[in-house]
Amino acid sequence: MSAFALRHDWTREEIRAIHDTPALELVYRAATIHRAHHDPQEVQVCRLISIKTGGCPEDCGYCAQSAHYATGIAAQPLMGKEEVLAIARRAKANGVSRVCMGAAWRNARDDAQFEAVLDMVRSVNALGVEVCCTLGMLTETQARRLEEAGLYAYNHNLDTSREYYGQVTTTRAYDDRLATLANVRKTGVTLCAGGILGLGESVDDRVSLLHTLATLQPHPESVPVNILTRVPGTPLANQDDVSLWETLRVIATARIVMPRSAIRLSAGRTQLSEEAQALCFLAGANSIFSSDAKMMLTQASPTNDYDEDARLLATLGLRPRTPFKAEPGGPASGASLAVATLL
Ligand code: SAM
Ligand code: SF4
């Protein structure tokens, strides 16, 4: 089998062996695979808008928006469409090709607020950017309605391994998350699903999460790698730092086992130096979140701003990816076959 064939039958042992490869060899392998499947000069810039902040009934141990913890974030009403549109227009003007609307909900409900979100999806889609939502659990019918409204992607992170999940969240089960991913897969909406580093998980947990994602068929089109933003008041406020080398190993392993997916360097990027981010891009990260001020990614995570990101991309000779762009390369392409012999 070509080293570039998409695989969905990875074993944990194979993924662990990739993860544990000597660091520079691992980055080299990931960079080689990245070049076979993606334009290495392109990075997708995304903008997250928290359309409904705080007061969430779930108890995710990392989250500033959970009503279970005193984090100082009060529940706010659903943002109005005009405010969302104004942020989305500024985002597009700054090179953003995907706008992600997040709600601190356990699940979407069949109510007026969901209708309002559908209206936002239609309106933001009309601006000509990819629209993503992250609204908690979804039924198949809700996923279809979002698809009809023009939704491009749905984010629903697994966060960690099945084995460790109960240490992080107790108000829902891992299978609930997988059921929502399956409901979205019944539609034409693409999937964005990843995890968080720094929750106190072991390397085996990271491998297990990557195994779950890499054995989904098809792979999620987008895989966020979040680094925990420690939120005072939450149970995970005192976790240890995640080193760059740990982050790099997870990004590179994700790139190798899910070669066509966008690997999104998400929450926690502000903790990384420009040199560290450059290494992450080399190892296959090709998507970031950016914002028009030092605003909040999850109302707890500071986000890098458009200007500093534009400077960083320019320094590295990278350019923002345009919306709705199919990726070049793939198992059958000439580029893939040429580098397959290197591996
Ligand atoms: N309520 C929805 C859900 O949980 O799917 C959507 C909103 S939630 C804020 C989106 C994602 O942000 C979570 O799945 C989690 O992976 C990430 N996230 C939230 N708080 C974080 C933190 N403090 N550090 C890192 N990632 C975080
Ligand atoms: Fe709620 Fe999502 Fe935060 Fe969990 S991660 S508490 S579901 S907003």
Side-chain angles (χ1 to χ4, degrees):
M1 188 190 292
S2 154
F4 288 92
L6 279 187
R7 284 185 52 193
H8 305 272
D9 61 350
W10 294 101
T11 66
R12 285 165 195 248
E13 292 70 29
E14 285 175 308
I15 297 176
R16 177 77 200 223
I18 293 169
H19 177 278
D20 291 349
T21 302
L24 296 185
E25 178 63 22
L26 176 61
V27 171
Y28 171 75
R29 282 188 63 189
T32 307
I33 291 197
H34 185 56
R35 275 153 179 69
H37 290 274
H38 302 267
D39 180 342
Q41 248 91 57
E42 280 191 347
V43 170
Q44 181 169 45
V45 184
C46 310
R47 170 67 156 97
L48 178 61
I49 307 174
S50 182
I51 58 170
K52 164 67 185 79
T53 301
C56 183
E58 300 284 65
D59 70 351
C60 308
Y62 51 78
C63 187
Q65 306 203 61
S66 169
H68 294 257
Y69 317 121
T71 63
I73 293 195
Q76 290 163 29
L78 188 67
M79 196 182 267
K81 184 171 88 173
E82 288 313 317
E83 193 178 348
V84 172
L85 277 172
I87 298 170
R89 281 193 198 97
R90 280 201 306 276
K92 189 183 177 197
N94 280 283
V96 165
S97 58
R98 179 175 295 190
V99 171
C100 182
M101 298 188 280
W105 288 338
R106 169 175 165 75
N107 56 287
R109 295 188 192 169
D110 298 316
D111 60 6
Q113 298 214 347
F114 187 59
E115 298 300 323
V117 171
L118 292 172
D119 194 30
M120 288 177 199
V121 171
R122 281 187 282 269
S123 302
V124 177
N125 191 39
L127 300 179
V129 289
E130 297 170 13
V131 186
C132 173
C133 277
T134 180
L135 312 172
M137 291 182 271
L138 280 192
T139 63
E140 182 182 345
T141 307
Q142 289 164 338
R144 284 212 185 283
R145 294 204 64 206
L146 285 162
E147 177 185 29
E148 284 157 16
L151 192 75
Y152 188 82
Y154 194 78
N155 164 268
H156 202 62
N157 292 331
L158 294 174
D159 287 343
T160 189
S161 66
R162 179 187 284 280
E163 299 75 31
Y164 194 63
Y165 198 70
Q167 304 295 313
V168 176
T169 302
T170 67
T171 47
R172 60 174 183 246
Y174 212 62
D175 284 326
D176 294 329
R177 294 306 265 187
L178 290 170
T180 292
L181 295 180
N183 284 338
V184 175
R185 264 295 175 233
K186 291 174 191 155
T187 73
V189 174
T190 63
L191 271 190
C192 174
I196 309 178
L197 306 180
L199 302 173
E201 75 286 351
S202 65
V203 171
D204 277 342
D205 288 313
R206 292 174 187 168
V207 167
S208 175
L209 168 64
L210 289 170
H211 179 255
T212 302
L213 294 169
T215 52
L216 290 174
Q217 194 161 1
H219 297 150
E221 284 78 2
S222 171
V223 178
V225 176
N226 291 296
I227 305 163
L228 176 70
T229 299
R230 287 174 294 221
V231 179
T234 61
L236 296 173
N238 299 314
Q239 288 297 318
D240 291 338
D241 281 344
V242 178
S243 78
L244 167 65
W245 310 113
E246 294 173 271
T247 305
L248 205 56
R249 282 190 183 281
V250 171
I251 288 172
T253 307
R255 167 52 65 230
I256 291 168
V257 297
M258 294 173 280
R260 290 235 184 125
S261 305
I263 308 295
R264 202 181 307 290
L265 185 53
S266 304
R269 188 165 63 89
T270 52
Q271 302 166 31
L272 301 180
S273 69
E274 294 197 342
E275 294 83 353
Q277 292 180 62
L279 270 175
C280 293
F281 294 138
L282 186 65
N286 58 349
S287 178
I288 54 174
F289 280 105
S290 195
S291 175
D292 35 355
K294 292 282 179 199
M295 289 182 62
M296 302 299 176
L297 182 60
T298 56
Q299 295 299 307
S301 314
T303 304
N304 307 67
D305 73 47
Y306 296 139
D307 292 341
E308 69 180 329
D309 283 335
R311 278 194 298 274
L312 175 63
L313 295 192
T315 300
L316 299 176
L318 301 173
R319 53 178 188 275
R321 181 177 157 183
T322 53
F324 309 109
K325 194 175 165 195
E327 287 293 349
S333 82
S336 300
L337 294 176
V339 282
T341 54
L342 292 174
L343 296 173

